[in-house]
Amino acid sequence: MRYPKFLPKAGENGCIGYVAPSFGCATEPYQSAFSNAGSIWSKMKYQQIYGPNCRCQEGVGISNTPEKCGREIMHFFLSGEADCLISCGGGELMCEILPYVDFEKLAEADPVWFMGFSDNTNLTYLLATLTDTASVYGPNAPAFGMEPWHKSLFDAYGILTGEQTVVESYGMWEKESLKNEENPLVPYHLTEPLAIRSFVGKEEWKDELRFDGRLLGGCMDCLVNLLGTRFDRTREFVERYKEDGIIWFLEACDLNVFSIRRAMWQMEEAGWFRYVKGFLFGRPLNGAPMMGLDEYHSVLEVAGRKNVPVVMDVDLGHLPPMMPLVVGSLGEIRVKNNHLKIEMKYK
């Protein structure tokens, strides 16, 4: 696994690059939040460079045409202009840029940190599985425009600079955001207490859990879309790292509980879970019970058969805050007393 050089610390002449392989920051509240994030980074003495699509909305479900988005990605990864790249947003059709991304060239080039989540799974996941390059499944650029920053943003920054390799659950989460066009910079509206549920097999587990393995995953909506395409080399990846085993971290956006269950079945039948050591599931955005199926049993039918730890309702994904995770790193997981701790090692 290749790990990029870290972003220099504040005041040390570092450069942050922004790209928009999915949505750009062309509408509110993202436009104002993105601009404010730039002001905050400037005060921290960071240089910043902006891809041509960052403030565009010319594409369908992405910032621009797939060709132009792919061109932007290739330029920023190969030019060496930025110390790290942060995506401007999630979206809907980032998958369409993939034919215009030369992963063989990216595998040969010096690695660069890329951070984003949701639709950005199309890059964070494929960087790991196709190029053996670590990336950060973490906040998109506009999140850094909130005032004040939430602890999760400091965590993401600490990972990019190499000052931090441990993340821990945050205690409270946001069910309904207060961010809108009139209030683009408000922090997370934290009203819900964290309530982690752990299982081993299909039985709920109340005692401490410890397990380790290589972190792999992202947004299930995107992952199941990639499955079976020419970009899917997951089985080769898990075979390559079978001695470490895989900790799958998964979260869902649009998928309902039945879609999640079908996705779990499909990933299992494709051989993705062959060397699984444990699962981490984020709170699903669309996880309301349907016809007697809830979010827990939507995954336990498959995950429960593996007889490995299954940790659910963790701080990961579309209901913030989210723990930033280094895709491809070795993760050491500890769950105790409704608290989750993840230490990442770069081996």
Side-chain angles (χ1 to χ4, degrees):
M1 183 59 58
R2 306 190 310 160
Y3 298 94
K5 293 180 180 179
F6 294 114
L7 173 70
K9 300 174 186 177
E12 296 183 359
N13 203 35
C15 181
I16 298 169
Y18 302 107
V19 289
S22 193
F23 277 159
C25 296
T27 58
E28 295 294 357
Y30 309 104
Q31 191 173 44
S32 292
F34 184 41
S35 295
N36 198 56
S39 297
I40 292 173
W41 290 119
S42 292
K43 291 175 183 176
M44 297 169 69
K45 307 300 181 185
Y46 281 102
Q47 300 178 47
Q48 296 166 84
I49 52 176
Y50 295 82
N53 302 318
C54 286
R55 292 184 171 88
C56 288
Q57 53 177 347
E58 305 300 320
V60 177
I62 52 177
S63 61
N64 213 319
T65 64
E67 295 93 333
K68 290 182 178 179
C69 289
R71 194 181 309 145
E72 179 185 65
I73 285 296
M74 292 304 298
H75 170 77
F76 272 78
F77 269 94
L78 299 179
S79 68
E81 296 173 333
D83 296 300
C84 72
L85 302 175
I86 306 178
S87 178
C88 286
E92 300 295 341
L93 290 175
M94 186 174 163
C95 57
E96 294 185 357
I97 82 165
L98 298 179
Y100 305 98
V101 177
D102 190 332
F103 286 98
E104 290 185 2
K105 281 189 177 180
L106 296 187
E108 296 170 355
D110 291 336
V112 181
W113 285 115
F114 173 78
M115 182 166 69
F117 85 107
S118 189
D119 206 20
N120 293 286
T121 298
N122 287 283
L123 264 185
T124 57
Y125 187 80
L126 295 183
L127 284 170
T129 56
L130 298 186
T131 76
D132 263 330
T133 301
S135 61
V136 184
Y137 195 75
N140 298 321
F144 291 94
M146 73 171 62
E147 294 192 24
W149 277 10
H150 182 268
K151 175 66 165 58
S152 59
L153 298 176
F154 285 103
D155 288 347
Y157 173 60
I159 286 174
L160 291 176
T161 60
E163 298 174 274
Q164 186 169 336
T165 58
V166 175
V167 292
E168 302 185 49
S169 52
Y170 302 112
M172 299 289 291
W173 59 278
E174 175 184 89
K175 187 174 183 179
E176 295 183 4
S177 175
L178 298 180
K179 184 177 293 187
N180 54 38
E181 293 183 5
E182 290 74 33
N183 298 288
L185 310 182
V186 295
Y188 296 135
H189 182 219
L190 304 175
T191 59
E192 309 301 308
L194 181 70
I196 293 173
R197 292 186 66 182
S198 299
F199 300 82
V200 175
K202 296 184 180 181
E203 299 299 320
E204 193 149 11
W205 191 265
K206 298 296 185 181
D207 297 327
E208 180 178 3
L209 281 173
R210 289 177 180 264
F211 54 103
D212 58 72
R214 202 161 287 272
L215 291 166
L216 185 65
C219 181
M220 297 178 76
D221 308 47
C222 302
L223 293 174
V224 75
N225 188 55
L226 291 171
L227 196 156
T229 69
R230 61 189 170 101
F231 302 101
D232 176 14
R233 296 184 199 162
T234 303
R235 283 181 295 182
E236 293 93 324
F237 182 89
V238 301
E239 190 70 34
R240 189 158 65 247
Y241 291 105
K242 64 182 179 182
E243 298 302 320
D244 301 322
I246 306 297
I247 296 174
W248 281 94
F249 68 90
L250 299 167
E251 55 99 5
C253 179
D254 292 333
L255 303 185
N256 63 34
V257 290
F258 279 100
S259 301
I260 291 170
R261 184 152 168 168
R262 287 191 290 267
M264 290 291 293
W265 177 88
Q266 190 172 358
M267 289 188 278
E268 164 70 350
E269 293 299 323
W272 285 22
F273 297 153
R274 184 174 182 185
Y275 300 107
V276 65
K277 297 282 288 295
F279 292 92
L280 302 174
F281 288 98
R283 297 176 287 268
L285 185 62
N286 192 25
M290 295 176 64
M291 293 185 282
L293 183 65
D294 62 18
E295 61 169 292
Y296 305 102
H297 292 91
S298 68
V299 302
L300 285 173
E301 180 59 30
V302 169
R305 287 192 248 118
K306 295 297 183 178
N307 199 35
V308 298
V310 181
V311 187
M312 302 192 65
D313 288 335
V314 306
D315 290 328
L316 177 68
H318 287 74
L319 289 170
M322 65 178 296
M323 297 181 295
L325 298 181
V326 177
V327 186
S329 67
L330 280 169
E332 293 187 356
I333 314 298
R334 181 184 180 188
V335 186
K336 184 178 182 180
N337 298 331
N338 196 38
H339 183 80
L340 172 62
K341 179 179 179 180
I342 303 174
E343 181 176 359
M344 294 165 282
K345 296 182 177 180
Y346 303 155
K347 298 179 179 180

